[in-house]
């Protein structure tokens, strides 16, 4: 393995970046020393063989993601990303802080609106957001939680400081790969775990189920929880099936649910059963044709009325997407100060607002599009992002027209050289840019983070877009335990039954399949 790292160039990426593993060539950072020692005896051919094994395991288990119109095994790199215990403590506190502030913000804008009256956020900013839904106004969740599951995307900048890149409070995806990555790496490279005190990730399904049950309507002692999926043609269907399977709950589609008298029931082979909590993986626009798109066949008519009546809980809540608006993102530090009276523990990336509040900023940004990163405020999955230093003249020309036509629809950021991590590419190791998506579960009393989260990798050289939907890969993310903690137990592998679906009938194609393209993957 030393021969591979001898050729490893910390400056091999297109942008100068912080290297996660090495302080300097050949000198690993403290958390990586035992991993580096464990990898050294392995020959390049052995690593390649194990990487091929991983891909076969993922294919056999159905751990896939739809990319460019085809299902492929989700790329997992053999070399994990490591966070020490102190770093993880900081990230945990920062994500908890952010989720608390955004919970308060969502309750406020769909309720009293104090944040407008006090001049913290302009009302126009919210009402012009594509994901602000008046249909959600006045809906009070049973335990006050709207953000049951969140994924806050973090990056490390050129100086090694973590920053928040964006928030995902609608339908954050990717946690299934956290679970499967650990399982696969444990089987393929068990020796790597021999010396490391790696915290486990397999508590997530139990934590998620507990949070969903805690969100049940008042007076329901033994709630029925279901996972609502758009269907087998959705790019993240594997995740929907896995989570339903691990939680031991039904996996349903919209046609499996019926709503009448503001109560939701599930069709089964033994008749209809009440449903109290719906972990929905269907976008707002498709969740209820009575309130949103009338042509939706993948939602449940009347389910929003049932939520308003307090008879069912939707997780995550309808209307959360306004907090994902990238223009709202620029106000989150102010929201933390306003609602929590605290300073943000982790800063945002430096961002320029292009709406009509400051025309000089817009003029300045338009004059240097080739030096900035432009993002559509309602984008997801890396779609629509233009990295100015890498863009062609034609792309920048078209971008300028789009921004001039709709400045509210864009933000600009300085290009940040995401940190790099050694990544196996064929028989060699090279630096590739990465980010981190920690997943937080809120049960109303505690915001818990699965230790590590999903490290995503931009596989093409110099690429900065890490999203799976754009061809990115992933790494297993290790969080090391404090030395004062008991040693974490060895990673466990669970054999679980095949996913259950209400009614037990096979899923076929139909009108729903044509609507799945409209489902954004966060």
């Amino acid at each position: 393995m030393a021969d591979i790292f001898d050729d490893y160039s910390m400056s091999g990426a297109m942008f100068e970046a912080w290297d996660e593993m090495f302080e300097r060539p050949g000198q690993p950072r403290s958390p990586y020393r035992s991993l580096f020692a464990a990898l050294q005896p392995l020959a390049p051919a052995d690593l390649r063989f194990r990487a091929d094994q991983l891909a076969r395991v993922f294919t056999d288990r159905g751990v896939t993601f739809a990319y460019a119109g085809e299902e492929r095994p989700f790329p997992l790199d053999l070399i994990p990303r490591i966070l020490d215990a102190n770093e993880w403590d900081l990230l945990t506190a920062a994500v908890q802080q952010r989720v608390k502030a955004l919970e308060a913000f969502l309750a406020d804008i769909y309720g009293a609106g104090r944040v407008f009256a006090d001049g913290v956020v302009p009302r126009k900013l919210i009402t012009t957001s594509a994901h602000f839904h008046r249909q959600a106004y006045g809906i009070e969740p049973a335990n006050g939680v709207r953000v049951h599951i969140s994924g806050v995307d973090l990056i490390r900048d050129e100086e090694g400081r973590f920053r928040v890149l964006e928030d995902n409070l609608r339908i954050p995806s990717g946690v299934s790969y956290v679970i499967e990555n650990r399982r696969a790496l444990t089987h393929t490279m068990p020796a790597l775990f021999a010396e490391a005190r790696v915290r486990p990730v397999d508590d997530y399904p139990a934590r998620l189920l507990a949070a969903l049950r805690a969100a049940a309507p008042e007076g329901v002692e033994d709630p029925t929880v279901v996972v609502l999926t758009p269907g087998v043609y959705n790019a993240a269907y594997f995740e929907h099936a896995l989570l339903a399977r691990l939680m031991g709950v039904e996996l349903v589609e919209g046609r499996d649910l019926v709503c009448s008298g503001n109560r939701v029931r599930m069709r089964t082979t033994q008749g209809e059963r009440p449903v109290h909590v719906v972990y929905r993986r269907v976008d707002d626009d498709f969740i209820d044709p009575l309130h949103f798109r009338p042509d939706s066949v993948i939602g449940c008519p009347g389910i929003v009325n049932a939520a308003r009546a307090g008879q069912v809980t939707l997780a995550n809540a309808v209307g959360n997407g306004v907090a994902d608006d990238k223009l709202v993102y620029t106000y989150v530090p102010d929201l933390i100060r306003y609602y929590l009276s605290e300073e943000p523990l982790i800063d945002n990336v430096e961002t320029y607002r292009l709406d009509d509040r400051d025309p000089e900023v817009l003029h300045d940004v338009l004059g240097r599009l080739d030096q900035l990163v432009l993002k559509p405020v309602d984008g997801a999955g890396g779609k629509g992002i233009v990295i100015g230093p890498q863009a062609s003249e034609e792309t920048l020309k078209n971008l300028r027209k789009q921004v001039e036509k709709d400045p509210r629809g864009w933000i600009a950021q300085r290009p940040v050289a995401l940190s790099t991590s050694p990544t196996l590419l064929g028989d060699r190791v090279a630096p590739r840019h990465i980010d981190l998506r920690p997943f937080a579960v809120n049960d109303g009393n505690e915001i818990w983070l699965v230790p590590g989260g999903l490290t995503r990798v931009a596989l093409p050289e110099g690429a900065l877009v890490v999203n799976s939907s754009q061809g990115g890969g992933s790494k297993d993310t290790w969080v090391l335990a404090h030395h004062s903690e008991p040693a974490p137990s060895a990673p466990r592998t669970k054999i679980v039954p095949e996913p259950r679906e209400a009614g037990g009938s096979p899923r076929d194609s139909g009108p729903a399949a044509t609507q799945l393209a409209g489902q954004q993957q966060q």
Side-chain angles (χ1 to χ4, degrees):
M1 193 62 188
D3 291 338
I4 293 180
F5 281 121
D6 282 345
D7 295 331
Y8 182 78
S9 172
M10 293 173 61
S11 60
M14 185 175 295
F15 297 93
E16 292 294 330
W18 175 276
D19 192 275
E20 293 283 339
M21 187 170 185
F22 292 101
E23 293 181 11
R24 58 186 64 87
Q27 182 64 45
R29 302 184 189 277
S30 177
Y32 283 89
R33 288 172 187 165
S34 62
L35 173 67
F36 182 75
L39 290 174
Q40 280 186 318
L42 300 178
D46 186 33
L47 284 178
R48 184 69 264 160
F49 174 75
R50 292 171 190 249
D52 292 340
Q53 275 188 317
L54 272 182
R56 285 195 295 272
V57 168
F58 272 19
T59 301
D60 292 342
R61 286 183 54 80
V63 187
T64 60
F65 197 92
Y67 175 67
E70 65 179 75
E71 289 288 329
R72 69 172 197 174
F74 192 64
L76 169 62
D77 186 54
L78 283 174
I79 304 173
R81 189 249 190 97
I82 302 179
L83 299 168
D84 68 28
N86 292 328
E87 279 186 319
W88 183 246
D89 288 346
L90 169 63
L91 298 186
T92 296
V95 172
Q96 290 172 336
Q97 179 190 62
R98 202 167 179 98
V99 172
K100 288 177 185 176
L102 290 171
E103 279 277 13
F105 169 69
L106 289 167
D108 195 5
I109 65 170
Y110 288 117
R114 292 186 301 111
V115 73
F116 306 135
D118 291 341
V120 180
V121 172
R123 185 182 297 271
K124 181 181 178 182
L125 167 70
I126 303 304
T127 58
T128 57
S129 173
H131 298 291
F132 173 70
H133 296 309
R134 290 174 174 81
Q135 298 90 329
Y137 181 82
I139 297 179
E140 295 288 343
N143 65 342
V145 175
R146 287 173 166 80
V147 186
H148 305 83
I149 307 98
S150 55
V152 178
D153 291 347
L154 306 174
I155 62 169
R156 202 195 292 264
D157 68 14
E158 300 89 344
E159 298 179 0
R161 295 177 300 181
F162 278 101
R163 293 179 179 269
V164 179
L165 189 63
E166 64 178 48
D167 302 292
N168 299 284
L169 309 187
R170 282 172 288 174
I171 311 174
S173 65
V175 74
S176 61
Y177 303 116
V178 175
I179 298 169
E180 288 293 323
N181 285 357
R182 179 62 53 81
R183 178 189 183 278
L185 199 63
T186 301
H187 279 267
T188 307
M189 304 280 285
L192 296 186
F193 294 86
E195 300 295 330
R197 296 167 51 86
V198 183
R199 295 179 60 184
V201 300
D202 49 6
D203 287 341
Y204 182 85
R207 291 277 192 162
L208 175 58
L209 180 60
L212 295 174
R213 289 176 60 87
E218 186 176 354
V220 179
E221 295 184 359
D222 186 18
T224 297
V225 177
V226 299
V227 177
L228 175 61
T229 176
V232 297
Y233 297 99
N234 185 265
Y237 180 76
F238 164 78
E239 176 159 302
H240 309 164
L242 180 73
L243 292 177
R245 183 191 317 167
L246 294 179
M247 289 191 292
V249 304
E250 300 285 358
L251 179 67
V252 302
E253 295 183 18
R255 56 184 168 176
D256 297 318
L257 301 178
V258 60
C259 182
S260 62
N262 287 335
R263 294 183 183 274
V264 179
R265 294 179 298 280
M266 167 177 52
R267 296 186 177 99
T268 74
T269 54
Q270 297 178 338
E272 294 180 351
R273 287 179 54 196
V275 171
H276 307 104
V277 181
V278 178
Y279 176 30
R280 51 124 184 173
R281 302 298 297 258
V282 175
D283 289 347
D284 287 354
D285 287 345
F286 296 90
I287 190 69
D288 187 341
L290 297 184
H291 286 277
F292 298 101
R293 284 186 51 162
D295 63 337
S296 173
V297 296
I298 58 175
C300 174
I303 199 170
V304 172
N305 291 340
R308 183 181 302 281
Q311 299 297 328
V312 72
T313 298
L314 296 177
N316 282 348
V318 170
N320 280 10
V322 67
D324 293 351
D325 186 307
K326 292 178 178 59
L327 189 55
V328 173
Y329 155 91
T330 67
Y331 288 85
V332 174
D334 293 330
L335 297 179
I336 292 172
R337 300 181 185 102
Y338 177 68
Y339 290 113
L340 306 182
S341 299
E342 299 173 357
E343 285 299 310
L345 294 174
I346 295 182
D347 294 329
N348 285 1
V349 174
E350 295 93 330
T351 306
Y352 301 92
R353 300 169 184 162
L354 305 184
D355 58 350
D356 56 8
R357 293 175 62 82
D358 193 342
E360 290 187 5
V361 173
L362 175 61
H363 182 268
D364 173 62
V365 167
L366 289 173
R368 53 193 187 100
L369 291 177
D370 60 336
Q371 303 171 32
L372 299 169
V373 176
L374 274 288
K375 298 180 178 180
V377 298
D378 62 347
K383 296 177 181 177
I385 295 176
V386 178
I387 300 174
Q390 298 178 343
S392 66
E393 290 187 11
E394 184 66 24
T395 298
L396 293 175
K397 180 180 178 181
N398 292 334
L399 174 64
R400 183 184 184 90
K401 292 179 181 178
Q402 294 179 59
V403 174
E404 288 176 336
K405 182 179 179 180
D406 180 24
R408 164 63 178 85
W410 295 83
I411 61 166
Q413 295 179 327
R414 76 167 182 89
V416 179
L418 282 63
S419 62
T420 58
S421 180
T423 302
L424 183 65
L425 303 167
D427 291 333
R428 67 186 183 93
V429 172
R432 289 296 182 264
H433 294 289
I434 62 173
D435 79 347
L436 176 65
R437 174 175 290 184
F439 290 93
V441 176
N442 186 1
D443 65 5
N445 295 314
E446 177 190 9
I447 298 172
W448 175 84
L449 274 67
V450 59
L454 180 65
T455 292
R456 299 179 297 180
V457 185
L459 293 176
E461 184 175 4
L464 295 172
V465 179
V466 299
N467 302 76
S468 309
S469 55
Q470 304 297 306
S474 71
K475 287 175 173 284
D476 189 17
T477 307
W478 292 7
V479 172
L480 303 183
H482 284 284
H483 290 294
S484 58
E485 297 179 49
S489 57
R492 301 188 299 269
T493 301
K494 298 180 180 179
I495 304 300
V496 291
E498 291 303 308
R500 297 182 296 164
E501 294 183 281
S505 59
R507 296 308 188 192
D508 54 17
S509 59
T514 64
Q515 295 184 357
L516 300 188
Q519 297 289 302
Q520 292 187 334
Q521 299 304 315
Q522 286 193 291

